[in-house]
Amino acid sequence: RIESSSFLHGITSAGAGIENQQSTGLALVNNDFAMNQFGCTFASSPYCRFEGNRVNGRATSVALGRGVRFGESSNFGVVSGNTISDTNLYGIYLQDSAFCDVSSNTVSFTGSGSNLAQHGIQSGGFEADFCHHNTFTGNMIRGCSGVGIAVAPTATTEQDLYNTISGN
């Protein structure tokens, strides 16, 4: 568990506040991520939680950066009660992950300059049929350069099946 910490100014092209790889059950609670290209990235990390965090700021010199990403089968993840703003790319991204719960987040002002059409919340990815059974409930999304919530595959053969979007 990582709680009540600050992660500031990770502005290299891959600068993440936290890069979590192949971990199970890590909880990040009430942390502050400011001016990082990627606030927090989970890769191959099931059952992780990202709750009550604040992610904001972007470096304009690098056209990368998301608030939080659950990727590469980071299944059964929870993204809840976070405030995410001013990201170059998506605010919350479920990439090739299933059975995740995204609820009660506030996401605003995604995308900038050459990075237009960046969604508040994106579910999709590069592997066929990896994004399914995700829920998106009670989120507030505003001022994003793309749509609020996009359930859209990136891979041409992928189908994003059995997702639920309610009360956003």
Side-chain angles (χ1 to χ4, degrees), residues 10-70:
I11 57 172
T12 64
S13 63
I18 293 179
E19 177 79 27
N20 180 39
Q21 297 186 15
Q22 299 178 343
S23 177
T24 301
L26 177 64
L28 281 82
V29 180
N30 296 327
N31 296 292
D32 182 32
F33 298 84
M35 294 305 294
N36 296 289
Q37 284 305 109
F38 296 86
C40 184
T41 299
F42 295 89
S44 302
S45 298
Y47 298 101
C48 290
R49 304 177 74 81
F50 193 76
E51 299 177 312
N53 299 290
R54 185 178 75 90
V55 181
N56 76 319
R58 66 179 121 203
T60 57
S61 62
V62 182
L64 296 171
R66 295 179 188 91
V68 61
R69 179 181 73 100
F70 277 65

Side-chain angles (χ1 to χ4, degrees), residues 12 17 20 108 137 145 148 156 158:
T12 64
N20 180 39
S108 55
T137 308
S145 63
T156 57
E158 180 184 12

Side-chain angles (χ1 to χ4, degrees), residues 9 17 56 59 61 98 118 122 151:
H9 301 288
N56 76 319
S61 62
Q118 297 301 311
Q122 164 75 25
V151 178

Side-chain angles (χ1 to χ4, degrees), residues 43-161:
S44 302
S45 298
Y47 298 101
C48 290
R49 304 177 74 81
F50 193 76
E51 299 177 312
N53 299 290
R54 185 178 75 90
V55 181
N56 76 319
R58 66 179 121 203
T60 57
S61 62
V62 182
L64 296 171
R66 295 179 188 91
V68 61
R69 179 181 73 100
F70 277 65
E72 293 89 37
S73 297
S74 292
N75 301 326
F76 303 99
V78 173
V79 181
S80 181
N82 302 288
T83 301
I84 299 170
S85 66
D86 299 306
T87 60
N88 282 337
L89 303 177
Y90 308 135
I92 298 170
Y93 186 23
L94 301 184
Q95 177 190 337
D96 300 323
S97 294
F99 300 101
C100 293
D101 174 56
V102 178
S103 61
S104 302
N105 298 287
T106 300
V107 181
S108 55
F109 306 110
T110 59
S112 67
S114 62
N115 294 312
L116 297 177
Q118 297 301 311
H119 312 310
I121 300 171
Q122 164 75 25
S123 176
F126 303 99
E127 303 296 329
D129 305 326
F130 272 40
C131 293
H132 55 85
H133 294 91
N134 295 307
T135 60
F136 307 91
T137 308
N139 298 289
M140 178 182 289
I141 303 152
R142 63 187 174 93
C144 298
S145 63
V147 301
I149 298 174
V151 178
T154 306
T156 57
T157 60
E158 180 184 12
Q159 297 180 35
D160 290 320
L161 303 172

